[in-house]
Amino acid sequence: MNLTEIIKITKATVIPGISEKEVLELITDSRKIVHPSRAMFIALKGAHRNGHLFIHEAYRQGIRTFLISETISFSDYPGAVFLQVNDTLQALQQIAIAHRNNFHLPVIGITGSNGKTIIKEWLFQLLCDHYKIVRSPKSYNSQIGVPLSVWQIQPQHTLGIFEAGISQPGEMN
């Protein structure tokens, strides 16, 4: 997905300006950067960690595209592009929805209190000879994990199998 599309989807303010670029990886953990030139670091704020505190580390590792919700000192990051939104988690979810809408493949969604991952893996084993399957890695079933899983859909896939956990009322929607 290119930056212009991401800006439109998220209604982001672009700082300092836009340089057209394609984003192929969404990164939420500065310890898991593999291809920084094609990645966007998403600074998520959680109950225990604030991703904005890891922007410097992501920049040091070569990331130059950031999705943020807090004001930072942009001059500390020459050559970087910042997309500023009100809520980075919501923006991540919007990006995943737009990405999913680009594909017309059946998707199996698995939810429940227990057993989601094992059911996903069983279905994968049963169906992998008949479909090119994209599935949630590990137990990516949170509000962050589901969009990151959906982001993995590519044109060659013919079936998606994703798990979704629920931890709060209304979260399934």
Side-chain angles (χ1 to χ4, degrees):
M1 190 175 288
N2 66 46
L3 280 182
T4 304
E5 291 174 286
I6 293 172
I7 292 163
K8 184 178 176 184
I9 291 162
T10 62
K11 297 177 177 54
T13 301
V14 185
I15 303 161
I18 187 165
S19 60
E20 195 48 52
K21 176 181 176 179
E22 190 164 15
V23 173
L24 300 175
E25 295 181 31
L26 301 177
I27 305 292
T28 60
D29 187 335
S30 62
R31 299 168 298 180
K32 297 180 180 178
I33 297 171
V34 178
H35 303 287
S37 64
R38 59 187 209 182
M40 177 170 64
F41 181 80
I42 302 170
L44 296 168
K45 290 194 275 188
H48 304 289
R49 297 239 194 268
N50 183 342
H52 294 82
L53 299 175
F54 300 94
I55 289 172
H56 179 76
E57 178 58 25
Y59 181 85
R60 189 189 66 72
Q61 292 185 51
I63 299 272
R64 294 298 180 266
T65 307
F66 298 87
L67 183 65
I68 62 170
S69 61
E70 294 182 359
T71 302
I72 63 166
S73 178
F74 304 112
S75 61
D76 292 345
Y77 305 99
V81 175
F82 293 89
L83 309 183
Q84 190 160 17
V85 296
N86 290 330
D87 183 336
T88 52
L89 176 59
Q90 182 180 27
L92 169 63
Q93 293 167 344
Q94 291 167 334
I95 292 166
I97 289 167
H99 182 72
R100 168 64 176 106
N101 288 336
N102 290 326
F103 300 92
H104 303 288
L105 70 153
V107 170
I108 299 171
I110 303 163
T111 190
S113 301
N114 296 302
K116 294 178 291 296
T117 303
I118 193 117
I119 296 298
K120 176 196 66 181
E121 294 303 321
W122 281 343
L123 285 171
F124 174 77
Q125 290 299 317
L126 289 169
L127 299 170
C128 68
D129 290 339
H130 306 287
Y131 297 92
K132 299 238 186 265
I133 300 173
V134 58
R135 69 189 195 272
S136 306
K138 304 178 185 175
S139 294
Y140 276 38
N141 60 32
S142 68
Q143 286 195 16
I144 298 166
V146 172
L148 292 176
S149 298
V150 168
W151 180 257
Q152 301 304 312
I153 299 172
Q154 297 297 312
Q156 71 269 17
H157 294 122
T158 58
L159 177 66
I161 305 175
F162 302 109
E163 55 182 285
I166 303 169
S167 59
Q168 298 174 18
E171 193 171 35
M172 181 55 75
N173 293 332

